Amino acid sequence: MSVWLGSPLASESIKVATFAAPLSREGPGLLLRDLVEASDDQITAIELVIAQADADVLVLTDFDFDTNSHAADALIANLEHHGASYPHSFALEPNAGQATGLDLDANGKKGEPRDAQGYGRFLGDGGLLVLSRCPLALAEDHSARLWQDLPQTRMPPETPDAIKAVQRLPSSGHWVLDVDCGPTFQLAVFAATPPVFDGEEERNDRRNADEITLWTTWASLRPTPFVIAGNANLDPQKGEGYHEAIISLLELPTLQDPLPDLDTAFWPPEKGGNLRVSYVLPSKHFDIFDAGIIHNAQIGAHALVWIEISAETSENKRAETTLSP
């Protein structure tokens, strides 16, 4: 299923996309194996959707990290075979699977997936990967930010001090990259924890909301062009979670919402139904030419979400006007 909205594409434009494609496996090295063997039909379908989207910048929010980027290199090689070239890529070690040495879920055991900084069966489980046709550089990394340090944090008040002292807010990562696609803009990347799989303390609901709120605070103060892209794991109206967190982000005066009310994930009714969880949100500096999703049920629930924006920002336009004779 493909959905396109808006006017015909402009020749001077940038396409930015995010995709929660299931490129995570049950152990380290298994994703690399599957990418190299090129015999997994699901992976082939994912690669074909990425090639079809033809994005200039793509954020993958469920991609196993390895220190030497072997899996990323294998994916890039496969995409090249499908006619999609990505000479630039970026990834950092995620919080997912990073050991804390504590019993975070209070079940009497340590070292389990829920005891890591972010849920993970191993270090790097389901991390973030950015592929780009434009040069990338790290501008900010908020991944080590403690949850308790977020202003007006929703962290459960009964959280022990020992956990407050080490528990990071990002479950995977919160990065800001400088992207040089002619104009330079900043790309804010994240994947928030799902607001489910917890108890009466609503720990995951609260953390999900605060992961989104981090970008709301950041974007409200950002004077230069930017795009927020990733999996917020939260619908503004439907499903579980603190809906006001994503509504506050979407209603920021500094942001534009190219795909209001369009679902991006398609689960059976008993598993949540159709929800909007992945977002690509440009700042007001850009003109939006087009936007849409691409969904292949063979891959899984999540659709690739993309927007086509002006390569020239309003900031550049003002500068040209000022310099014109």
Side-chain angles (χ1 to χ4, degrees):
M1 177 182 71
S2 298
V3 179
W4 286 269
L5 303 174
S7 59
L9 302 184
S11 58
E12 297 297 329
S13 61
I14 301 167
K15 184 180 281 190
V16 182
T18 191
F19 195 11
L23 289 168
S24 181
R25 296 298 182 265
E26 294 184 355
L30 298 183
L31 175 61
L32 174 61
R33 176 203 64 188
D34 291 347
L35 287 164
V36 171
E37 290 181 355
S39 59
D40 187 306
D41 290 341
Q42 184 188 53
I43 286 181
T44 300
I46 290 170
E47 292 167 350
L48 290 173
V49 165
I50 292 173
Q52 177 187 349
D54 194 30
D56 297 298
V57 183
L58 171 66
V59 178
L60 297 172
T61 59
D62 190 16
F63 190 93
D64 289 344
F65 172 88
D66 65 86
T67 303
N68 296 311
S69 300
H70 292 313
D73 291 342
L75 175 63
I76 291 169
N78 290 356
L79 292 173
E80 186 78 33
H81 176 74
H82 295 299
S85 178
Y86 287 100
H88 305 280
S89 63
F90 187 88
L92 291 175
E93 181 179 281
N95 287 335
Q98 190 169 141
T100 64
L102 299 175
D103 179 17
L104 295 185
D105 60 356
N107 70 346
K109 300 178 182 179
K110 297 179 181 179
E112 295 184 320
R114 288 187 175 86
D115 297 323
Q117 287 289 1
Y119 178 90
R121 298 157 291 186
F122 56 91
L123 181 60
D125 183 10
L128 301 165
L129 174 66
V130 180
L131 303 180
S132 178
R133 292 170 180 161
C134 311
L136 302 170
L138 180 65
E140 303 171 25
D141 181 12
H142 299 275
S143 302
R145 183 166 185 169
L146 293 180
W147 187 358
Q148 68 170 347
D149 290 342
L150 185 76
Q152 299 180 322
T153 177
R154 297 178 176 88
M155 194 175 200
E158 65 273 16
T159 302
D161 289 342
I163 293 179
K164 287 182 178 179
V166 302
Q167 177 66 79
R168 297 177 176 183
L169 172 59
S171 53
S172 184
H174 279 60
W175 316 331
V176 181
L177 303 180
D178 287 332
V179 184
D180 186 2
C181 285
T184 298
F185 66 93
Q186 292 194 309
L187 179 70
V189 177
F190 78 125
T193 194
V196 290
F197 312 122
D198 55 15
E200 293 181 358
E201 79 288 351
E202 296 186 330
R203 187 173 185 273
N204 290 342
D205 295 65
R206 293 168 177 269
R207 189 179 188 185
N208 169 274
D210 278 355
E211 288 193 72
I212 296 167
T213 298
L214 191 157
W215 284 142
T216 304
T217 302
W218 179 88
S220 66
L221 302 172
R222 192 63 34 173
T224 52
F226 65 89
V227 177
I228 298 175
N231 183 4
N233 262 318
L234 187 62
D235 186 286
Q237 298 177 339
K238 300 176 290 184
E240 301 292 332
Y242 289 23
H243 303 291
E244 66 272 14
I246 192 66
I247 291 173
S248 294
L249 177 63
L250 295 173
E251 291 182 348
L252 278 179
T254 55
L255 272 180
Q256 303 180 81
D257 184 3
L259 296 169
D261 305 320
L262 185 65
D263 294 327
T264 67
F266 305 89
W267 287 286
E270 65 273 14
K271 294 186 177 181
N274 299 343
L275 299 172
R276 186 185 186 195
V277 295
S278 291
Y279 299 83
V280 186
L281 305 171
S283 66
K284 288 290 182 67
H285 300 84
F286 298 98
D287 294 327
I288 299 172
F289 296 137
D290 209 351
I293 67 171
I294 303 174
H295 181 235
N296 181 343
Q298 178 187 355
I299 293 172
H302 291 277
L304 181 148
V305 182
W306 59 269
I307 65 170
E308 192 96 11
I309 55 179
S310 55
E312 184 179 44
T313 65
S314 57
E315 193 173 73
N316 291 338
K317 292 175 185 176
R318 285 195 299 271
E320 287 183 4
T321 301
T322 303
L323 294 172
S324 297

